[in-house]
Structures are given as structure tokens and as C-alpha cells.
Amino acid sequence: SPALSRDEHWLFFHSNRSGNMDIWVSYREHTHDDLGWQPPIQLGAAVNSSFEESMGGFFENDDAGTQIYFSSNRPRPSGPGTGFDLYVSDILPDGTMGPARLIVELSSAAADPGMMVGPNGLEAFFYSTRSNAGAFGAADLWTATRATVFDLWSTPWNLGPVLNTAGTDQRPYLSSDRRTLVFASDRPDLGR
């Protein structure tokens, strides 16, 4: 689940190379040099924990700054959770990571991994195993919106049967022109 920075110099991803699933970052000097990535660095304790972290998305905005969105199965600050919850961390001006903050309004008692935020910061897409509100399968695609990058997210809603199946639909990614949603699915191959 790689997430590339807007300037295409930084690549964030999750890996179990340290024995635990953590979030890592690599840098390249020249954006057209696909072999120029430096050795990856683990993001550290502000983001990673002794539990599992899974990369979601990268967001950069002149007003809100630079953030990464990710999921973790760490215990919730407000009590026990049963699966992955959604978090955000600010990338501080000195390049270090700010403390991870639980996104309470989007996290549920089910597993909520794989969040990404659209280019304008006002749309979120994620997948969840929550079974309420008309869920269709083992994991469905969900979305939420907000009025500004400083507001809380709306109550999430299921993207419906056009996208979701009885199986697992996951890892949504919205294109930069906001016209195409790409995702993975274990639906049967329809030969298209």
C-alpha cells in the first residue's frame, strides 16, 4: 500500500521487515529515477507501535500541512477496539512525525483499514468490515466528507452495490482528477 508524496520525492509504505508491520519512508532525489530510492527508514514511535500499522494515504495542503493517514490495531485511547482503527499523523516542519491521532468519527468496532484522502482533503475513502448501514460483503468500500480540512468527517456511508460485492472490496484510491476510484476486489473475474 504505497503512498507517494505530492512532489513524488517521498514514498510511504508498510512492511514487516523489522518483524512487525510498521510504516516506512524512502526518499529519491530525482522524481524520474525509479532506481534512485534511498534505503527506507522506519517512521518511529510517534506513528509505529508494538502493534500493526498499515499505510493508508498521504495528504498535503497549504492550510492543513502534510499528513499521513494509516490504520493500526493498537488499543484505542478511549477503550478497547476489535480491529484496525483509522489514524492521522502530521509531518512536522523538521521532518519528524507528530503523535498519531485516532479519527474517532470514522473508526468503528470493526476493522477499518486502508483510508486515503482525496486531493482536496474533503473526501475520505476506506474499507471496513462493519456490518451495519447496509453492508454488502466481508469488507466494503466506504466514504465520508468534510466541509474544510479543519472539520470533523461526516458519518461514513457505504458506497453501495455498484462497487461493493459479497466478497472483499478494499484499498480504495481516488485519482488526482477525482473522477476515478481504483480499488482491489476478490470478486469473480467477469472476463472484462
Side-chain angles (χ1 to χ4, degrees):
S1 297
L4 193 62
S5 65
R6 187 166 65 179
D7 66 8
E8 299 184 8
H9 287 286
W10 297 94
L11 179 69
F12 297 85
F13 61 95
H14 63 260
S15 172
N16 64 356
R17 66 186 64 207
S18 63
N20 193 31
M21 190 66 73
D22 286 327
I23 297 177
W24 296 71
V25 65
S26 181
Y27 178 81
R28 65 179 174 181
E29 184 68 33
H30 303 288
T31 59
H32 298 291
D33 183 1
D34 292 336
L35 301 177
W37 292 105
Q38 295 177 0
I41 300 168
Q42 196 236 39
L43 285 186
V47 170
N48 294 309
S49 69
S50 59
F51 294 87
E52 291 187 24
E53 280 72 40
S54 176
M55 191 57 206
F58 177 89
F59 175 67
E60 188 173 358
N61 177 275
D62 292 338
D63 297 323
T66 307
Q67 301 172 317
I68 62 164
Y69 288 84
F70 65 98
S71 58
S72 176
N73 65 351
R74 66 185 75 181
R76 287 186 183 182
S78 58
T82 58
F84 282 86
D85 288 315
L86 300 169
Y87 289 83
V88 61
S89 177
D90 297 317
I91 301 177
L92 304 175
D94 66 359
T96 61
M97 301 302 299
R101 301 182 312 276
L102 176 68
I103 305 172
V104 176
E105 65 270 28
L106 297 184
S107 296
S108 72
D112 301 308
M115 178 176 167
M116 71 86 54
V117 175
N120 64 9
L122 305 181
E123 303 161 298
F125 295 90
F126 62 97
Y127 67 103
S128 177
T129 62
R130 62 186 78 191
S131 60
N132 59 339
F136 294 90
D140 284 350
L141 301 172
W142 294 75
T143 190
T145 59
R146 58 186 177 181
T148 75
V149 294
F150 302 108
D151 290 324
L152 295 176
W153 293 101
S154 67
T155 300
W157 66 92
N158 189 297
L159 287 175
V162 172
L163 297 181
N164 291 308
T165 65
T168 298
D169 301 293
Q170 62 181 326
R171 299 287 174 202
Y173 179 81
L174 184 66
S175 64
S176 61
D177 65 5
R178 299 175 52 222
R179 297 177 57 106
T180 306
L181 184 69
V182 178
F183 61 96
S185 177
D186 65 357
R187 67 189 64 204
D189 183 2
L190 300 177
R192 294 183 198 173

